[in-house]
Amino acid sequence: MSIVRTSRLSVRASPGELERWNHIAHQHGHATTAHWIRVLLSSAELAGHDGSRVPDELRRIRHQLSRAGNNLNQLARSANCGDAVHCGVVLDDIEALIDQLDRIVSRSCKKPSGRTARRRCERSAVILH
């Protein structure tokens, strides 16, 4: 049974935006751009997502990655000076952030990217370089 749609929602777009949206809709297998927009709006409504959370999460994770990178640079500097270095915690933090980013990206994608699973190696709790 098809849904009778009598109301109209209008959005203004530049010719470039409209062309890009049409292309993306068809790339994702939607017959029309309107169908793609309906799916996006419905999924956002069901998920309780207003569009602001992902950029905020990404900014927070970027900040954390920056801090971890600074720690890694300090560890590398110490290792180059011949000091014993314990970097397992920093590497664990970076791996946790990568996992968070993967979850955010997978939530924002309609189809799985077809990526293979990241290779993981077992490592001891304390790594000395």
Side-chain angles (χ1 to χ4, degrees):
M1 180 164 138
S2 66
I3 298 173
V4 177
R5 293 189 171 93
T6 57
S7 299
R8 181 180 192 92
L9 173 67
S10 179
V11 177
R12 293 191 184 275
S14 70
E17 286 173 324
L18 186 57
E19 184 178 330
R20 189 170 63 248
W21 293 345
N22 287 332
H23 179 73
I24 292 170
H26 288 97
Q27 256 186 334
H28 285 98
H30 298 281
T32 64
T33 303
H35 181 261
W36 176 57
I37 298 298
R38 266 190 227 100
V39 169
L40 288 174
L41 292 173
S42 294
S43 62
E45 180 183 32
L46 290 173
H49 190 281
D50 63 3
S52 62
R53 208 171 108 222
V54 171
D56 291 342
E57 283 184 73
L58 292 176
R59 270 191 288 280
R60 184 180 53 77
I61 290 172
R62 186 196 178 287
H63 178 72
Q64 289 176 335
L65 280 171
S66 177
R67 292 179 62 194
N70 288 337
N71 290 344
L72 209 50
N73 282 336
Q74 292 170 2
L75 291 168
R77 196 172 302 120
S78 292
N80 287 331
C81 293
D83 297 334
V85 175
H86 304 276
C87 57
V89 173
V90 175
L91 294 173
D92 289 341
D93 288 347
I94 291 172
E95 191 168 311
L97 291 170
I98 290 170
D99 288 342
Q100 278 183 289
L101 283 172
D102 286 346
R103 283 192 302 276
I104 291 169
V105 169
S106 70
R107 281 194 322 248
S108 67
C109 295
K110 181 176 185 249
K111 298 178 186 174
S113 64
R115 278 185 357 177
T116 57
R118 254 193 349 261
R119 289 188 335 188
R120 296 184 188 270
C121 60
E122 294 299 319
R123 58 177 191 259
S124 62
V126 177
I127 299 175
L128 301 175
H129 292 274

